[in-house]
Amino acid sequence: MKKIITLWILILIPYFVFANAEKKSKEMCACLKKAKSSQEEGDKKECLDLREKHVKALKKGSKQYDAYLKSLSSCEQELAGLPQVDANLTTEEKTKVVCDCMKNASKQNRMGCFKLQSDYANTISDKEEKKAFNLNSQSCGD
């Protein structure tokens, strides 16, 4: 009986931990969307306060916090007008997406393109292919 209870605890704890991080990232995303559309300083301050509250609750550097950041990154990409990362694209298609981003982004949004490039690089497991992707996608930003 103890083994069964222990097993259930081990199965359910990660679910609740990551569900909590997911809930907080959705809450933060909603705040960021509201702040972006309203352009009021109070709304932006509210998001900063919420972020601080989440960092304290999730304990920076923990698995919960990492899950929170990962979940929040797709919201941030959406708000920046960047396409979502699709790991199923070919390397050439990934390069084209990054290059299109670089060509069409304002100076302010170029940092988002660099993040997109990094995210796509992380989807490539073959070292030579990743090296070629990085070289090709960096040269299109010049």
Side-chain angles (χ1 to χ4, degrees):
M1 185 65 173
K2 271 186 168 180
K3 287 183 181 181
I4 292 173
I5 292 171
T6 305
L7 181 61
W8 276 106
I9 290 172
L10 291 174
I11 291 171
L12 293 176
I13 285 178
Y15 171 76
F16 288 114
V17 165
F18 292 112
N20 187 31
E22 180 75 21
K23 180 182 171 193
K24 288 187 182 333
S25 70
K26 286 181 180 177
E27 182 182 14
M28 185 66 184
C29 186
C31 184
L32 292 170
K33 286 178 181 178
K34 178 183 171 190
K36 183 178 181 181
S37 65
S38 76
Q39 296 295 316
E40 290 188 24
E41 287 301 314
D43 291 334
K44 293 176 184 179
K45 173 95 170 84
E46 182 182 323
C47 293
L48 290 173
D49 292 342
L50 184 61
R51 174 71 178 224
E52 191 174 311
K53 178 180 158 189
H54 288 167
V55 170
K56 284 180 185 177
L58 297 172
K59 300 194 181 16
K60 191 172 185 175
S62 70
K63 286 184 180 184
Q64 269 190 313
Y65 183 73
D66 292 343
Y68 169 76
L69 291 178
K70 186 175 182 177
S71 182
L72 192 56
S73 80
S74 67
C75 174
E76 291 169 339
Q77 278 188 288
E78 180 187 329
L79 288 170
L82 299 172
Q84 295 295 313
V85 173
D86 181 359
N88 296 321
L89 296 177
T90 66
T91 303
E92 291 78 21
E93 290 170 326
K94 292 174 186 178
T95 302
K96 182 181 180 336
V97 170
V98 171
C99 288
D100 288 349
C101 182
M102 296 284 193
K103 289 174 190 166
N104 298 325
S106 65
K107 287 197 181 242
Q108 186 178 16
N109 290 338
R110 279 188 75 125
M111 289 306 294
C113 297
F114 291 121
K115 182 178 181 334
L116 185 66
Q117 179 186 35
S118 173
D119 290 346
Y120 269 124
N122 289 333
T123 67
I124 302 170
S125 56
D126 181 73
K127 288 183 180 188
E128 290 301 315
E129 189 178 346
K130 184 184 281 193
K131 185 178 177 181
F133 167 78
N134 284 330
L135 287 172
N136 291 335
S137 61
Q138 285 171 0
S139 65
C140 69
D142 297 334

